[in-house]
Amino acid sequence: MSVMQSGTQMVKLKNGSKGLVRLFYLDEHRSCIRWRPSRKSEKAKITIDSLYKVTEGRQSDIFHRHAEGSFDPSCCFTIYHGNHMESLDLVTSNSEEARTWVTGLRYLMAGISDEDSLAKRQRTHDQWMKQTFEEADKNGDGLLNIEEIYQLLHKMNVNLPRRKVKQMFQEADTDDQQGSLTFEEFSVFYKMMSLRRDLFLLLMSFSEKKDHLTAEELGNFLRVEQKMSNVTPEHCMDIINKFEVSDENKQNEVLGIEGFTNYMRSPVCDVFNPQHNEINQDMDQPLCNYFIASSHNTYLTGDQLLSHSKTDMYAWVLQAGCRCVEVDCWDGPDGEPMVQHGYTLTSKITFKSVIETINKYAFVNNEFPVILSIENHCSIQQQKKIAQHLKEIFGDKLDVGEALNKDPKQIPSPNSLKGKILLKGKRLPLYLSADAEEGEVSDDDSADEIEDDFKLKNSMSNGPSQNQVESHIRKKLDSLMKESQIGDKEDTDSFSIRALLRATHEGLQRNLRKNSKDGMKKSQSRSFISNLKHKRHSKSRLKCQSVEADDEGPQESSGGQFNRGGRRRKTIKLSRDLSDLVVFTNSVASQECLDEGSPFNVLSFSETRAQHLVHHRSERFLTFNQRQLSRIYPSAYRIDSSNFNPQTYWNVGCQLVALNYQTEGRMMQLNRAKFMENGGSGYVLKPGLMCKGAFNPLNDDPLPANPKKQLVIKIISGQQLPKPPDSMLGDRGEIIDPFVEVEIIGLPVDCCKEQTRVVDDNGFNPVWEETLSFTLHMPDVALVRFLVWDHDPIGRDFVGQRTVAFSSLMPGYRHVYLEGMTEASIFVHITVHDIYGKWSPLVLNPSYTIMHLLGANKGRQLRGFRGLFNRSSKSSVDTNIGVPPRKRSITDHLLRRTASAPAKGRKKTKMPLAEVTYDRKHSTGDSQSTHVERRAGNRRALQHRPASMPLDKLLNTHLSLATPDREGSDPGSDTIIVEN
């Protein structure tokens, strides 16, 4: 550790360069690797938390691009880090230095992996505090003066009067060196500034207005508000001993405000159910009863035309819980098949290296079966090589005979297939003789959605022409990326990838015509990308989600098979050796064929064809998915590797919804949330009604005989919300004006959004105290998405998000930590009610607000009864219909900050600028949009509120706080009015 912290000069290798000499060192907190010099200055770092693996020698793709004798392998090592498996390739001056770094980094990674969630939370908080102090220390003297504190508070979105800041600064500055804060003094200052009014009042409400909770009072809080059962005195004492910081309080067996805050901000009180970090569902049902995490073109690191292919992508997605990966096989040199994206300029990797990687990482994190989706484009000889590699490398992992023999008419369960690899591909037809070494099968693949004439052909192997093609396409891809950042990611009309392809084609044709005039041979310039067939002239038909219209016309092909639509199908020769290894027979559904077949026959649909089925034959599609597997893959026109909305296909029970894992954004966030529901195992049990029974998921009331759920979320406050990640002025930008949006993503009838008001000039501790209410018809398939926005006069800027499956939500007072952020969170209260009958209920929870716990009039909370049958009553349970205006209590003043209404109003509808600055990729095929519009409802106008009263002023006033009557009523009880 000391050698690494002192620093080591190493060569940093990059693509297309000889390498850069940099000083690499481990920071003093052992939390990140840094280097200098760097143009990124403070941002030139890799956190230890983000490290994926460290490999010795010349193993990475970048090392392979350098000549064999360029570097001594014993001096080389590679650090893989981040969500996209980025590599940092380093060369030391001697082997001892390399060994020191490899050993040290692996030691640090092992320590992190052994931590429990509480230890990790404390460690990351301590590291964040130290890092914040260091970044605020502009002159590097190890002290913070008052000016540096002012700058830090602006960066942290704190809007406090300078007089108040100076007062806290002086109180924290206790040593002889007056006028500056050491790190220990800064920690005291930060605690003073971070005192949580909402948590303090919550503690007081259960402690009879004392500043601490006894073990008995803590147990009462856990039972009543947190809905915990079997709360024992011993459990309460464990909490006090673990979270209380004061030795005096520990001796008195009480939990003070600091200990209570530590407990409420710990993983125990996170919005996500900690039991769902482990397998918690029945894993003995047939595979068709599960949603299965699936990857599309797994080997790609970026776009679908020019990006690199890497075996590391298989290692990453498999350890991230993906259980279905894709391998596209093509003939390679020296008789070795290659993996690449056909008809494109993406790089190639050997099939053998892919299989070796899958074999190594398939069952590192869980033992549930992995489905290998093989797309075969190889000759018979190389197919035999594929079969040979599969048998030699996977061995017994391919042997699933025992599981299949139990019931040949039913797909086995995940439990019965543990540790097995299932091949999905083509099989020879049964009518062929068993002695036949090969046969003819259809050659449908995902690229068939693009017309043959439009694919990049192998003829582009001549130097100058290929460079022109690649250069032009790369420029067009760059323009696509820029346009996608400007466009609305929730609006499928924002831009058209097809229009981009047309522009690309026209530019290439001009280049090639010019080259032809200069004397190039006609054969070299012939149809690298030929004329795009325009079958629709309307602008609206140029969208990705509408390309299913192009499947209507006849297509030229080779081979003699015909599909049911009368179109000729291409065929290829298939080797018996490879056919015999296949468990799931893959059929690309080029027509709307949902006929019953073998349970081992998997239908594959492009998103455009699947979307057509969802809209026109959803009930039959749902029934099909009850007995067989279906796989949905992205449209071939998504050349930027964007993703569709997976919820559209989960709603009809599709199991294998394949996404581009390399593309971070909204759709991958939904995918992660879905599969976190069952320990990140890659298998999530479908709701019972999706496994048996029939209903139309597109109906306004798809399950009239089943109870609904009422989800009531009180958005109380926010903590340390940062400036938007792409803020133009960075930390120097204005203090944010945050508001929270909660979105339900599920069946179309359940999809809606609600948002709070805006709090002006406060990202550090904004308070909303606002209730949002949602009705869900099928909650088990729904996701709940929390988003924080910065209100801006011309729109809104994305701050952060967290998405959680409905079934993983925890009731009571919970913190919602924004994904990828250490300290940023929102504090909420969650309740869920069953709803029976025809009418939406009015939820009356006597203890629902902190104000009531402090003694607010219970009778006045039973307001809005007549609003039960009014349209506007759906918008919020806070609606004051039919009740005289209530005088605002002192607690209202305490908990509410100055606020203004969001620019766009508060409607249950899609926002016109949804996630503009965050989601890089657009989304197509969102079938819920029309239903969301139909369910839009108006919210009441919001008014400015007075500034909140400082806590010290409150405590100095003669405040009479009533004690809630715990014997007469249950503060956590749910009261529902229903008309059957």
Side-chain angles (χ1 to χ4, degrees):
M1 293 295 111
S2 61
V3 169
M4 293 166 68
Q5 287 177 320
S6 300
T8 305
Q9 275 211 332
M10 294 185 260
V11 176
K12 176 184 176 184
L13 294 185
K14 298 181 71 176
N15 273 326
S17 69
K18 294 182 179 179
L20 306 171
V21 178
R22 297 287 183 264
L23 178 69
F24 287 84
Y25 61 97
L26 182 67
D27 75 329
E28 62 176 305
H29 314 302
R30 300 182 180 179
S31 61
C32 58
I33 305 165
R34 294 181 176 272
W35 60 90
R36 59 175 184 260
S38 173
R39 287 176 295 178
K40 298 179 181 177
S41 61
E42 284 298 319
K43 294 184 178 179
K45 64 180 181 181
I46 297 172
T47 62
I48 301 299
D49 278 343
S50 71
L51 298 191
Y52 170 71
K53 68 175 178 177
V54 181
T55 61
E56 301 175 75
R58 304 176 71 258
Q59 296 189 35
S60 73
D61 291 343
I62 289 180
F63 273 121
H64 289 161
R65 292 192 189 112
H66 290 78
E68 189 69 36
S70 302
F71 308 105
D72 180 355
S74 65
C75 298
C76 303
F77 67 99
T78 301
I79 301 169
Y80 293 94
H81 61 96
N83 287 337
H84 296 154
M85 284 282 291
E86 299 143 277
S87 68
L88 175 62
D89 301 275
L90 300 172
V91 182
T92 60
S93 56
N94 61 69
S95 58
E96 186 61 33
E97 288 178 341
R99 189 73 211 145
T100 297
W101 274 86
V102 170
T103 304
L105 290 174
R106 286 176 176 170
Y107 169 79
L108 292 172
M109 292 167 65
I112 289 173
S113 65
D114 290 340
E115 283 180 328
D116 61 22
S117 57
L118 178 59
K120 182 174 182 178
R121 168 80 193 133
Q122 186 61 49
R123 177 178 58 80
T124 54
H125 172 75
D126 293 344
Q127 289 176 355
W128 180 84
M129 285 287 293
K130 291 172 183 174
Q131 182 181 333
T132 301
F133 181 84
E134 289 171 356
E135 290 177 358
D137 182 15
K138 300 299 183 183
N139 58 12
D141 61 357
L143 301 168
L144 297 185
N145 57 41
I146 189 68
E147 286 301 322
E148 289 172 327
I149 288 289
Y150 287 146
Q151 293 178 31
L152 174 62
L153 295 188
H154 183 83
K155 173 185 174 181
M156 297 174 69
N157 289 308
V158 179
N159 185 17
L160 284 174
R162 290 204 164 197
R163 175 186 54 80
K164 182 68 175 175
V165 175
K166 190 172 289 187
Q167 177 187 338
M168 290 191 294
F169 184 93
Q170 291 169 349
E171 289 180 26
D173 189 9
T174 56
D175 64 2
D176 296 335
Q177 194 170 355
Q178 293 292 300
S180 59
L181 301 181
T182 63
F183 175 73
E184 290 72 21
E185 291 172 333
F186 170 71
S187 299
V188 174
F189 172 84
Y190 181 79
K191 286 180 181 178
M192 294 167 59
M193 183 179 65
S194 305
L195 178 63
R196 292 276 300 274
R197 301 168 183 166
D198 48 2
L199 292 181
F200 187 78
L201 294 174
L202 182 59
L203 179 145
M204 289 173 62
S205 69
F206 276 86
S207 67
E208 298 180 350
K209 294 174 286 187
K210 302 188 299 292
D211 63 354
H212 60 261
L213 289 169
T214 65
E216 182 182 354
E217 290 165 342
L218 175 60
N220 190 35
F221 167 73
L222 297 178
R223 282 186 292 268
V224 171
E225 288 298 344
Q226 306 301 81
K227 307 300 180 186
M228 292 176 61
S229 58
N230 302 321
V231 178
T232 63
E234 292 76 22
H235 178 67
C236 296
M237 284 307 304
D238 286 342
I239 292 175
I240 292 172
N241 291 328
K242 185 180 290 186
F243 294 98
E244 180 54 56
V245 295
S246 165
D247 292 334
E248 181 182 352
N249 283 348
K250 285 183 180 180
Q251 290 178 0
N252 295 329
E253 298 183 350
V254 296
L255 190 66
I257 180 58
E258 197 172 342
F260 185 65
T261 301
N262 290 341
Y263 173 69
M264 293 301 295
R265 285 187 67 81
S266 74
V268 180
C269 292
D270 189 78
V271 70
F272 181 81
N273 188 339
Q275 294 181 356
H276 289 191
N277 287 315
E278 307 294 335
I279 305 296
N280 59 85
Q281 296 179 347
D282 177 12
M283 302 302 287
D284 289 313
Q285 298 192 29
L287 283 181
C288 57
N289 286 359
Y290 297 86
F291 299 116
I292 304 171
S294 305
S295 165
H296 171 250
N297 287 355
T298 311
Y299 45 88
L300 291 181
T301 59
D303 65 75
Q304 303 285 310
L305 283 182
L306 299 168
S307 66
H308 292 294
S309 303
K310 285 188 177 181
T311 58
D312 295 324
M313 291 301 294
Y314 289 93
W316 172 56
V317 302
L318 287 168
Q319 293 187 86
C322 181
R323 296 288 90 184
C324 179
V325 295
E326 185 173 9
V327 184
D328 291 345
C329 306
W330 298 80
D331 281 351
D334 304 322
E336 281 293 335
M338 306 296 288
V339 173
Q340 69 170 116
H341 190 29
Y343 314 117
T344 69
L345 299 176
T346 55
S347 63
K348 305 174 183 180
I349 49 180
T350 64
F351 176 80
K352 183 179 181 181
S353 66
V354 168
I355 299 306
E356 288 173 338
T357 302
I358 293 172
N359 186 57
K360 183 176 179 180
Y361 292 100
F363 306 111
V364 168
N365 289 342
N366 79 74
E367 293 185 281
F368 293 111
V370 170
I371 299 173
L372 204 60
S373 181
I374 291 185
E375 207 166 272
N376 171 30
H377 305 274
C378 293
S379 63
I380 290 293
Q381 287 305 313
Q382 296 214 8
Q383 288 179 37
K384 291 181 178 180
K385 197 72 173 179
I386 289 174
Q388 177 187 335
H389 288 323
L390 290 170
K391 291 175 185 175
E392 291 176 353
I393 295 170
F394 288 148
D396 292 341
K397 294 185 179 75
L398 294 174
D399 183 10
V400 295
E402 184 179 346
L404 299 182
N405 291 335
K406 288 182 180 178
D407 187 353
K409 295 184 178 180
Q410 189 176 58
I411 307 177
S413 68
N415 265 344
S416 66
L417 292 169
K418 275 187 175 180
K420 298 298 182 182
I421 291 178
L422 313 175
L423 260 58
K424 182 177 80 68
K426 295 291 183 180
R427 292 196 64 151
L428 290 175
L430 294 176
Y431 60 76
L432 274 185
S433 166
D435 298 331
E437 289 298 314
E438 60 187 57
E440 215 172 55
V441 295
S442 63
D443 185 30
D444 300 318
D445 64 58
S446 57
D448 284 345
E449 189 180 0
I450 294 182
E451 294 88 342
D452 278 347
D453 291 342
F454 193 59
K455 298 170 184 174
L456 296 176
K457 299 296 187 181
N458 291 332
S459 60
M460 52 163 50
S461 56
N462 294 315
S465 299
Q466 181 173 356
N467 290 338
Q468 289 172 347
V469 171
E470 182 167 350
S471 173
H472 194 82
I473 292 178
R474 194 174 290 283
K475 288 178 183 177
K476 289 299 179 181
L477 274 176
D478 288 342
S479 69
L480 169 66
M481 301 307 178
K482 291 175 183 176
E483 189 171 1
S484 70
Q485 290 171 359
I486 297 170
D488 179 4
K489 306 309 161 302
E490 298 299 310
D491 180 9
T492 57
D493 297 350
S494 60
F495 66 93
S496 166
I497 293 179
R498 258 198 115 150
L500 175 84
L501 289 179
R502 186 177 67 253
T504 304
H505 149 70
E506 290 168 354
L508 285 172
Q509 289 289 59
R510 283 196 296 270
N511 285 344
L512 295 173
R513 278 197 297 269
K514 179 181 177 183
N515 290 335
S516 181
K517 289 178 182 177
D518 292 341
M520 287 186 67
K521 292 182 180 179
K522 196 171 183 180
S523 60
Q524 289 180 342
S525 63
R526 183 173 56 237
S527 188
F528 292 147
I529 300 180
S530 73
N531 194 16
L532 179 66
K533 300 174 183 178
H534 293 291
K535 297 178 182 170
R536 294 288 184 271
H537 302 289
S538 168
K539 182 180 178 180
S540 65
R541 301 294 173 91
L542 284 174
K543 305 166 195 167
C544 305
Q545 75 270 25
S546 297
V547 297
E548 71 263 22
D550 294 322
D551 294 323
E552 295 169 6
Q555 297 180 355
E556 295 299 324
S557 60
S558 61
Q561 295 185 4
F562 288 82
N563 62 25
R564 295 171 71 185
R567 279 178 284 169
R568 183 174 295 173
R569 232 184 228 172
K570 292 180 294 183
T571 60
I572 61 165
K573 297 285 187 181
L574 178 63
S575 160
R576 172 71 67 183
D577 292 346
L578 183 56
S579 172
D580 288 346
L581 297 177
V582 170
V583 174
F584 290 112
T585 305
N586 184 46
S587 300
V588 174
S590 55
Q591 69 285 334
E592 296 176 16
C593 175
L594 295 176
D595 295 339
E596 184 171 356
S598 165
F600 295 95
N601 186 31
V602 180
L603 278 189
S604 292
F605 300 88
S606 74
E607 64 172 286
T608 51
R609 292 162 183 159
Q611 190 182 74
H612 183 77
L613 288 174
V614 168
H615 285 300
H616 296 94
R617 306 177 74 182
S618 58
E619 287 186 77
R620 188 167 180 185
F621 205 179
L622 184 72
T623 305
F624 171 85
N625 287 321
Q626 291 174 355
R627 62 181 184 269
Q628 287 177 238
L629 296 177
S630 63
R631 179 175 181 267
I632 315 299
Y633 55 87
S635 165
Y637 291 97
R638 290 184 179 273
I639 57 173
D640 58 342
S641 294
S642 58
N643 283 312
F644 53 74
N645 186 347
Q647 188 69 46
T648 304
Y649 308 105
W650 291 332
N651 286 341
V652 291
C654 297
Q655 298 88 353
L656 301 164
V657 181
L659 298 182
N660 292 304
Y661 269 58
Q662 72 271 29
T663 303
E664 185 51 50
R666 171 185 169 90
M667 303 316 169
M668 275 305 298
Q669 290 159 3
L670 302 186
N671 196 67
R672 273 197 300 273
K674 166 65 73 177
F675 290 102
M676 278 303 296
E677 189 179 341
N678 193 28
S681 63
Y683 287 87
V684 169
L685 190 61
K686 296 197 289 189
L689 288 166
M690 278 191 173
C691 300
K692 294 180 181 178
F695 66 94
N696 187 342
L698 302 187
N699 281 352
D700 284 342
D701 191 3
L703 301 165
N706 293 75
K708 305 170 184 62
K709 294 284 186 184
Q710 185 83 8
L711 173 63
V712 183
I713 303 177
K714 183 180 226 34
I715 309 294
I716 300 171
S717 62
Q719 295 77 42
Q720 299 170 50
L721 304 176
K723 291 178 171 61
D726 52 357
S727 173
M728 290 178 62
L729 297 177
D731 296 336
R732 295 178 291 109
E734 291 183 346
I735 292 175
I736 65 172
D737 307 322
F739 67 95
V740 177
E741 180 178 75
V742 179
E743 179 183 5
I744 303 298
I745 300 140
L747 294 187
V749 68
D750 293 339
C751 291
C752 60
K753 300 178 182 179
E754 285 240 44
Q755 65 189 42
T756 66
R757 67 184 186 280
V758 174
V759 171
D760 293 332
D761 291 334
N762 187 354
F764 188 73
N765 56 359
V767 176
W768 292 281
E769 264 289 319
E770 199 158 342
T771 303
L772 311 177
S773 178
F774 306 91
T775 300
L776 291 87
H777 293 71
M778 183 174 271
D780 289 343
V781 81
L783 303 173
V784 182
R785 186 167 166 85
F786 300 86
L787 300 105
V788 178
W789 299 92
D790 175 21
H791 173 63
D792 188 89
I794 60 172
R796 58 183 185 171
D797 296 320
F798 177 82
V799 174
Q801 68 83 36
R802 175 84 178 275
T803 308
V804 182
F806 174 89
S807 59
S808 295
L809 291 176
M810 290 292 284
Y813 289 97
R814 303 289 168 180
H815 279 93
V816 182
Y817 282 94
L818 302 185
E819 188 174 332
M821 301 183 190
T822 304
E823 296 293 309
S825 64
I826 52 179
F827 187 47
V828 302
H829 184 280
I830 294 174
T831 50
V832 177
H833 315 274
D834 286 320
I835 304 173
Y836 297 87
K838 177 180 177 183
W839 298 96
S840 296
L842 174 66
V843 178
L844 304 174
N845 186 344
S847 76
Y848 190 62
T849 63
I850 294 177
M851 280 82 79
H852 171 74
L853 292 170
L854 291 170
N857 189 329
K858 293 181 185 178
R860 286 176 180 170
Q861 287 204 2
L862 307 180
R863 61 191 180 274
F865 180 79
R866 282 177 289 176
L868 174 63
F869 303 105
N870 272 335
R871 287 180 185 274
S872 58
S873 66
K874 288 179 67 177
S875 61
S876 172
V877 297
D878 271 351
T879 309
N880 294 314
I881 298 175
V883 177
R886 180 163 61 100
K887 185 178 179 180
R888 198 173 278 125
S889 70
I890 193 71
T891 315
D892 284 324
H893 287 275
L894 177 72
L895 289 176
R896 295 183 183 270
R897 292 189 59 84
T898 304
S900 60
K904 301 297 179 184
R906 299 175 55 228
K907 295 183 178 181
K908 281 189 178 179
T909 183
K910 292 204 169 215
M911 306 304 293
L913 287 170
E915 299 181 47
V916 167
T917 61
Y918 178 61
D919 255 337
R920 185 170 63 83
K921 304 300 178 190
H922 74 298
S923 106
T924 63
D926 192 344
S927 63
Q928 288 92 352
S929 59
T930 55
H931 296 269
V932 172
E933 297 290 345
R934 187 165 63 249
R935 300 182 73 241
N938 294 325
R939 305 265 315 182
R940 68 189 188 285
L942 296 168
Q943 301 176 4
H944 284 264
R945 303 181 186 276
S948 61
M949 180 182 292
L951 184 62
D952 52 0
K953 186 175 179 181
L954 167 73
L955 299 178
N956 289 331
T957 59
H958 299 287
L959 192 62
S960 175
L961 299 174
T963 304
D965 180 10
R966 293 196 177 91
E967 294 180 2
S969 65
D970 177 5
S973 63
D974 304 330
T975 306
I976 304 179
I977 296 176
V978 179
E979 177 172 315
N980 286 317

